[in-house]
Every structure is written in C-alpha cells, then in structure tokens.
DNA sequence: TAATTTTATATGTAGGACATGTTTTAAATA
DNA sequence: TATTTAAAACATGTCCTACATATAAAATTA
C-alpha cells in the first residue's frame, strides 16, 4: 500500500472560481434562462481578475452550462453532458485503457438497450431496419470487402440507438464510432478471422418484429459474441 | 417543417483555436508526455492574443488533454472522458429530459453489464456482496425507513459496477448517483408505492455465485421492473 | 404610432506588465 | 575537482487597461 504523501489543495484559481460559480448556480436554484451577474461583478465579488472569471466561464460555456450574448450578458442554459466527451473521443487522443473501457461500454449498452427498443419501436423503424438488412444481403461487396461490411454494421447498429428514443444514448453512440472503427481495425489486423455470431442482423430484425425484449437481448448478446470473447 | 434560416459559422475565436489545437495534436500523433509549443508561440502562429490561447488551453486542461507546469511548459496527457460530465451531473443543473435519459441509461447499463460481471467476478466479490445483503436483511430500519433502504440499494448496485472491472463504467455510476437519488425521490413522492421486483438482492447474489450471465441478466431485468414500468 | 437612428453596455479580443515557481547555469565554497 | 549554493532564465499564472463588436434600449424622426 502506498503511503501517498499529500495531495494538498493546489488547484488553480480558475478551477476554484469555476467551482464557486457552479455552486452559486446550484445553491440559488438558477433556472434555464436566468441571467448571471456580469463578468466584472463576478470578478470583483470573487476578488480575482476578469481574466480568471472569463476562463472559468469559458469552461462552463463549453459544457453548455451558460450561454453568452453580446450585450445581454450571460444566461443559464441546460448543460449538455456529452459536449465535453465529444471533443476528445478520438483514438489519437485516448489511451489504450480508455479505449478498451469504451469498447466494452458499447457492448454493455447494446445488450442492455433491448427494453427501450421494445418500448419505443414503431413499425416504420422495423421497416427501415429491414431495408438496411436487405441492402446488405444484396450487396455483393459485402462478402469480400471488409470496409463495406463495416459500413452496414455501423448503419444497422446506429439505427438501433436511434430507435431507443434516448437522445443522449443516440448521440453517445455516434461519438463511439471512431473508437469502434479503431478497435475493429485492430481486431481484423490481429486475428484476420472476422468471426460472426450465429445471429445475424436479419435475425435481430425478425426478433424485433415478432419477438420479445427478452429474446432480443439474448440474440444481441449472441450477435456480439465475437467481441465478448475477446474480453478477459 | 422549419425553414431554418442559416446557422452560419459564428463560433468564437476561443472555440476555433481549441479545435485547431486539438487537430494539431491529433494530426501530429502527439503522445502522452510530449510537450506542446509554448503559449506565446501558439498565439503568434495562430495570429491571436495569448488570452485566447490561454482560454482554449484552459478548456483542454479541464478535459485532461494537457497538463501544465510552471516553467516546464505544457505536456500532453491522456484525457479523461468523464471529467467534463462530472462537473455538471447535478439535478440542479440538468434539465428534465437529460435526467430522464440518464436514468434510462442506468437501467440499460445494469442489465447489459451482466457479461462483464461474469467474466471478472472473484470469490471475494461475491462474499462482499453477500455481506451487504445480510446487513440489509438484518437491519430493522430497512422495513420502515426509505432512506436506509435507498442506502443499501446504492451500496449493492455500486458494488456491481466496481465488479465490472471497467473503471470508466464505475466512475460513471458514482456520478449517476445524485441523479438516481433525485429520480427515486420523485418516484416515492408521486406514487408512494415503492414496488419492488420479485427478484431481490439476495437472489442476484445467488445467481452471481452459481448461475450464468444469461440468468443474471434476466434477473436484473426483473429486479429493475418497477423502474422499467415507469418508462413510456 | 411606427420606423429609424443613436446611445449605452456587456461580452470579445488584444497586448503589456509583473508574480511565481522551476530548471538551468553560474558562482562560491570545501 | 567536486559539491553545495546562489543567481539567472524562462514558461506559466495573474492582473490590468484599452478597444472592438454586437445588440438591447432609448431617443429621434417621419
């Protein structure tokens, strides 16, 4: 066990101010649309320069907590929990461990998503999925070209996220794509055996149409078997 | 249908610079530990003031993409995909829709997580879970006090995330807690009938011990039934 | 009254100055 | 010479002032 020396509170001024402003907003139950004190007032009240306040606000602006208009000042907005992630979800920036975690997350989401799909599926959704599957089946490239197959794979699974009716989930999936791409490439390089589960996209659509959430969940688990087998 | 006038690219300088720096890092395959050009150089090369560069770097610093030391300059770090979310995951800041999405996300994760649990479970984990369950069963407060029951609920489910062996997932769950708390309070206020699934924590532990990932998944789905029933 | 112009103001951008704490270099001491 | 100590150099951190820009609000005009 490490005898960690001491963490000490050596957070930057900007970070402290950011926290103070966030606390201020929470404690005072600021609602979307309310207007914030202006930068100079914040700076004076906090006893720091306007620069520091601006850096803090810039961070909050990035997270979608506040929005600012030229003369009107700054107003509260509903933060976007994904905006921060969006910028850095890139294989060139993330570490191996993070990538692995995210890849696993995708598997977890798709298996766990079943219930939402059955609650919110519409006939048009099934038809659209059917159309994707047929296009995939009739595409001769699909047998030979890995890139083509990957494209259908993505199109199909992306549609499922959209069907979930959960916008956050849906956006999250679109961010996952680069990581997904990267991991698939690694896989195809390493093993050179693009094993596929015994359950196809076609089967999944059929289950969505006439099956149950429970069946779909297990079929999806089966469909993803090659990926699960890679875990340890 | 809206005839949206024009979005136009009216992004702030800070945002542009942030993007440019991120692109710069990606394109040049910067690795963790590499050092960035100094602020003044960035400012000169980009043709903006040092203030702008600093605001951009402040954002990247928040996301964990870079770290800075007094004289050494700034170095690349492995970004933390959750650091942005962490600050704003608060019922007082999030909107109703986001809260709903997050709550659903929790359900999806816990059902989908089963496979990871069975891949990574250890005997000590089972024993620890068993201990939690027994403590819960022997606590007389559990029958009457909703707060106590909620505490056990959280302790149990939190441990599952820890067991998943996925640090990202685990941290994410700890952030979810405030939202979870909030939603549970809303539920108990509205219906006043804390319905519980037919599968108890004890059952789940037993399934973890002697069952399969498939059984656990369905049992967890059952355990969460009251929450799923609230969805539409 | 309605349309137009002007004004006031809060944010956006720029650039200079100094503080702070490291790292390197140089000086001083043994 | 080797080691310790002090000085200088330097990048980030903080503060300040000034001005640009856009727009809500006020004043003016038709």
């Amino acid at each position: 066990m490490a005898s960690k020396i001491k963490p000490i509170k050596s957070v930057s001024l900007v970070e402290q101010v950011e926290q103070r402003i966030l606390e201020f907003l929470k404690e005072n139950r600021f609602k979307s649309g309310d207007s914030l004190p202006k930068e100079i007032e914040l700076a004076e009240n906090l006893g720091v320069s306007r620069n520091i306040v601006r850096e803090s606000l810039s961070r909050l602006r990035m997270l979608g907590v506040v929005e600012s208009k030229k003369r009107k000042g700054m107003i509260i907005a509903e933060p976007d929990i994904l905006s921060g992630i969006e910028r850095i979800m890139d294989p060139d920036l993330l570490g191996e461990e993070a990538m692995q975690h995210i890849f696993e997350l995708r598997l977890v989401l798709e298996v766990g998503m079943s219930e939402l799909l059955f609650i919110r599926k519409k006939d048009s959704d099934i038809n659209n999925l059917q159309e994707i599957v047929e296009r995939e089946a009739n595409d001769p490239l699909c047998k030979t070209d890995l890139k083509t197959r990957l494209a259908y794979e993505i199109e199909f699974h992306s549609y499922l996220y959209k069907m979930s009716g959960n916008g956050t989930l849906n956006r999250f999936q679109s961010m996952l794509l680069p990581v997904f791409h990267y991991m698939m490439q690694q896989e195809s390089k390493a093993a050179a055996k693009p094993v596929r589960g015994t359950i196809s996209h076609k089967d999944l659509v059929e289950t969505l149409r006439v099956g149950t959430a429970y069946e779909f969940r297990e079929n999806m688990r089966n469909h993803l078997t090659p990926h699960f087998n890679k875990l340890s």
Side-chain angles (χ1 to χ4, degrees), chain A residues 109-110 112-122 125 129 156-173 208:
Chain A
L109 290 176
E110 300 207 6
M113 199 166 51
S114 175
E115 218 69 36
L116 292 185
L117 296 181
F118 272 77
I119 290 176
R120 284 159 191 165
K121 67 174 178 176
K122 289 172 292 188
D125 290 326
L129 279 174
F156 182 83
H157 286 270
S158 295
Y159 198 92
L160 293 182
Y161 283 86
K162 196 185 295 176
M163 273 180 65
S164 76
N166 185 315
T168 299
L169 202 51
N170 188 27
R171 261 188 71 207
F172 190 66
Q173 120 86 5
L208 263 177

Side-chain angles (χ1 to χ4, degrees), chain A residues 49 51 53 66 82 85 90 95 107 124 139 154 169 172 180-181 183 200 206 225 228:
Chain A
S49 79
N51 260 348
V53 171
V66 304
L82 296 183
I85 293 187
D90 190 296
L107 301 179
S124 59
D139 191 334
I154 287 173
L169 202 51
F172 190 66
F180 181 62
H181 258 108
M183 297 294 279
S200 67
E206 206 49 32
T225 291
F228 275 112

Side-chain angles (χ1 to χ4, degrees), chain A residues 81-141:
Chain A
I81 58 169
L82 296 183
S83 69
I85 293 187
E86 198 163 29
R87 310 178 184 234
I88 57 177
M89 190 67 90
D90 190 296
D92 289 332
L93 292 176
L94 295 173
E96 279 302 323
E97 192 187 11
M99 302 263 283
Q100 181 63 31
H101 286 170
I102 291 166
F103 188 72
E104 290 175 12
L105 195 50
R106 182 237 171 185
L107 301 179
V108 169
L109 290 176
E110 300 207 6
V111 171
M113 199 166 51
S114 175
E115 218 69 36
L116 292 185
L117 296 181
F118 272 77
I119 290 176
R120 284 159 191 165
K121 67 174 178 176
K122 289 172 292 188
D123 288 345
S124 59
D125 290 326
I126 310 276
N127 292 336
N128 288 337
L129 279 174
Q130 182 77 43
E131 188 269 334
I132 294 173
V133 167
E134 281 168 8
R135 211 155 16 88
E136 183 181 8
N138 297 330
D139 191 334
L141 278 174

Side-chain angles (χ1 to χ4, degrees), chain A residues 68-89:
Chain A
S68 51
K69 289 276 187 287
K70 266 295 169 62
R71 135 113 196 198
K72 197 177 182 184
M74 310 197 69
I75 61 171
I76 306 296
E78 291 194 352
D80 177 0
I81 58 169
L82 296 183
S83 69
I85 293 187
E86 198 163 29
R87 310 178 184 234
I88 57 177
M89 190 67 90

